[in-house]
Amino acid sequence: MSDDIKVDLELDLKGLLCPLPMVKVSQNITNVPVGGIIRAVATDPGAMADIPAWAASTGNEIVSADKTGSEFVFLVKRLK
Amino acid sequence: MGEDGKKSLAMVVMSGDMDKLFGAFIIATGAAAMGMEVTMFFTFWGLRAIKKNVSTGKTLFGRMLGAMYGGDISKANPSKFSFGGMGRWMFGKMMGNHNVSKLIELRDLAVQLGVNMYGCQMSMDVMEIPQDAFIDGVKEPVGVGFFLLKAQDAEIQLFI
């Protein structure tokens, strides 16, 4: 992961199951400015499919989605 | 498309089974999170999912139904392995152990996310469940015509 990305909001989604990781991201996206980044950490493997689907549906961007150990780390960019 | 150009989902919830209600509310909250306009039309056994824990019924049969199928969404039994309430307890334990939200929490989250919930007027009349028995956030009762209008404009239609 590159170090030059500024994270505007950290979101702890650990332990949450479907549909909550996606719901929490959607509830928090307006807490960062347009162009801003949420860094979300989930433990539900289903989030790897769901959060990108949420982004595709809502017109936001997944900058990265990485599995590190048992955690799934997303950088989500608000586009509108 | 919904009213403001959003994609939309229209769902009939006829079942009062715990497992099916989980499906209904997970899909509804997920769709709302994905920016969709969501309509849930509750009918027959589904009405209890939006009821407060109050007794209902005017006539003898209505009061009997209210007594036998009363309470609120937390009384919903699974469609299999019900065992007179044991199944509900067991699934509740298992879901709690896996950190899944309670059904009532998902339902309240759906209200919070702006999911549009309607009782079916006809089944409310038959089952003698008045509008004031429903939780806050449930809109005024409608009929099948209203649902079909929502459904024909929706990208996704579901019957649960």
Side-chain angles (χ1 to χ4, degrees), chain A residues 14-20 22-24 26-27 50 53-58, chain B residues 25-26 29-36 95 98-101 106 109 112-113:
Chain A
K14 293 194 279 287
L16 297 178
L17 291 183
C18 172
L20 289 178
M22 184 174 80
V23 169
K24 296 282 180 197
S26 80
Q27 285 178 317
D50 277 7
W54 167 85
S57 172
T58 55
Chain B
F25 284 111
I26 287 173
T29 51
M34 286 173 86
M36 302 178 72
M95 288 179 172
H98 291 279
N99 206 22
V100 175
S101 305
L106 269 181
L109 178 63
Q112 198 189 324
L113 292 174

Side-chain angles (χ1 to χ4, degrees), chain B residues 59-126:
Chain B
T59 64
L60 174 64
F61 287 150
R63 289 199 307 275
M64 277 170 59
L65 182 67
M68 289 187 296
Y69 194 70
D72 62 7
I73 192 169
S74 56
K75 283 271 165 52
N77 281 314
S79 61
K80 294 192 191 331
F81 308 122
S82 177
F83 306 131
M86 271 294 284
R88 180 175 70 226
W89 177 82
M90 186 191 77
F91 278 110
K93 274 274 182 225
M94 288 180 71
M95 288 179 172
N97 291 343
H98 291 279
N99 206 22
V100 175
S101 305
K102 288 199 174 78
L103 194 47
I104 196 165
E105 293 167 353
L106 269 181
R107 196 267 320 268
D108 292 347
L109 178 63
V111 174
Q112 198 189 324
L113 292 174
V115 168
N116 301 296
M117 303 187 188
Y118 302 90
C120 159
Q121 180 74 69
M122 191 270 267
S123 42
M124 289 166 64
D125 291 345
V126 171

Side-chain angles (χ1 to χ4, degrees), chain A:
Chain A
M1 193 194 308
S2 63
D3 293 326
D4 54 358
I5 293 176
K6 177 179 160 285
V7 173
D8 297 276
L9 182 69
E10 294 276 351
L11 215 51
D12 180 3
L13 310 175
K14 293 194 279 287
L16 297 178
L17 291 183
C18 172
L20 289 178
M22 184 174 80
V23 169
K24 296 282 180 197
V25 171
S26 80
Q27 285 178 317
N28 281 282
I29 195 71
T30 49
N31 291 336
V32 300
V34 174
I37 300 270
I38 292 180
R39 181 176 179 274
V41 182
T43 49
D44 174 20
M48 278 302 258
D50 277 7
I51 290 179
W54 167 85
S57 172
T58 55
N60 291 292
E61 184 187 333
I62 302 298
V63 179
S64 65
D66 297 310
K67 184 174 192 299
T68 47
S70 59
E71 293 181 349
F72 303 91
V73 182
F74 301 88
L75 289 181
V76 183
K77 186 174 189 177
R78 179 177 175 193
L79 290 189
K80 58 183 186 182

